[in-house]
Amino acid sequence: MSNDAVKTDSKSATQADPGANRSRTPTSQQFLDYMGSGWAENPAASVTPSPATEFTSDRRDMVAAAFAGQVVVIEAGPAATRSNDTEYRYRPHSAFAHLTGWGATTVPDSVLVIDARDAETISTLFLRETAGKDSSEFFANSAIGEFWVGQRPSLAEISQLLAIETCSLNDYEAFLESIDKKFITLAHPALAEFVSELRLVKDKYEIGEMRKAVAASIKGFETVAANLAKAMKHPRGERIIETAFFSQARAEGHDLGYETIAAAGEHACTLHWIINNGPVRDGELLLLDAGVEMESLYTADVTRTLPINGKFSAVQREIYQAVLDAADAVFAMAKPGVKFSDMHATAMRVIAEKTHGWGFLPGSVEDSLNPENQHHRRWMVHGTGHHLGLDVHDCAQARREMSMEAELKPGMVFTIEPGLYFHRDDLLVPEEFRGIGVRIEDDVLVTETGVENLTGALPRKVEELEAWMAQHSA
Ligand code: GLY
Ligand code: MN
Ligand code: MN
């Protein structure tokens, strides 16, 4: 390596700005020279191509075919600021991950360019390559310097890992100039829609990753069961639950796929309860909605509603069974050709029948199912399911006719998640129902003939769930 004076090229100086104020190193030329010398070269890493590469090039070809004649730019995105000069853990855009196969180790600010101007598509991945140890960025930039944040891969390593041409991010501006800055990004609705719809049917690699995410999440639920007694002793027991799951998410995967909902007692009625600062009390239910995101960035999305002391009370069991019946009705009819809207209607009929059976509806079941009325929806305002994959609400930019109104196809992965929520202050239900919320959420894969419950190893039936809790509780 060169013993020349430390390079301070204008590019890395610009990129250095965000982190420049954290470095307290001397700035004398003598110090810069000293720091820039005496380092061994990074040993060349031997890289095994990612199994995703079997699929990613075809995905990029599909984008190229849909946007023929254009240059498509898919940005991984910058690191998001949490506050001042601190950042959230980095997570690239899902479309970028899908089209490159690069997951949690993506170098922030990377950009995928799919050049479809000519018959032959040229895909190039621009990334901030490893910096020379003779650059000031290396040790004096706390935001991106490898002395601070760890070694970045070389262009060759990423090219091998992802089977794609790589270029230095330093050359990206010049590339944009060379195409007169004529390109489309995800801000273009047609592109956002297309790459979202490209993920509706999962391939073999993706399904394998979903299975891993589910297995890791189930471990997380087991860890939670083992921590219930501890949670009951803590004034913010929900935090004990949340962090028990998180420990597995970090140990087994990359992160959580979304903020954990650890909702004990009446908090279960708050659909997105993520404050998680309440107590976990004997005799109440714990609604835990949590999923592990793997290094590949595929996530699970699982909910179980657990009796905190290990046994459902009569009324808890009654409500739980109603939700389970709604879910099972969907399981029984889900298969290729069925629409999401049909599945929702199936779940809603069960919910209407149950709430009618308890005497909560002002009229008949049919009356409530009338689109104008929907009285039963008071107790289940959310949807019955959604696509799942790289995003917890995957394919969210797909056209409605391609998602809710589309027919199920083998390879789709989605959730089945009916629930019932009786708020503490709901005067339309008897007192014994108030403050109870139940959701059961499974992740399923559409097969040729029906669906496979990917989360089926986590018990759902009342007796099985009680036995599972006895087995895993400390
Ligand atoms: N965890 C969010 C959802 O179930 O959709
Ligand atoms: Mn969900
Ligand atoms: Mn969920």
Side-chain angles (χ1 to χ4, degrees), residues 38-100:
W39 305 109
E41 292 284 356
N42 293 337
S46 92
V47 177
T48 316
S50 158
T53 55
E54 196 187 322
F55 304 96
T56 45
S57 144
D58 285 350
R59 295 175 194 160
R60 292 192 293 268
D61 283 347
M62 283 190 253
V63 173
F67 295 89
Q70 306 192 64
V71 177
V72 172
V73 164
I74 308 279
E75 297 178 349
T81 301
R82 181 174 187 275
S83 178
N84 187 28
D85 61 354
T86 56
E87 292 163 352
Y88 290 104
R89 182 174 294 121
Y90 185 68
R91 208 283 191 185
H93 194 288
S94 294
F96 175 90
H98 189 241
L99 293 168
T100 59

Side-chain angles (χ1 to χ4, degrees), residues 224-238:
V224 164
N227 276 276
L228 267 176
K230 182 177 165 194
M232 286 165 74
K233 293 193 198 104
H234 195 285
R236 297 199 298 175
E238 290 174 344

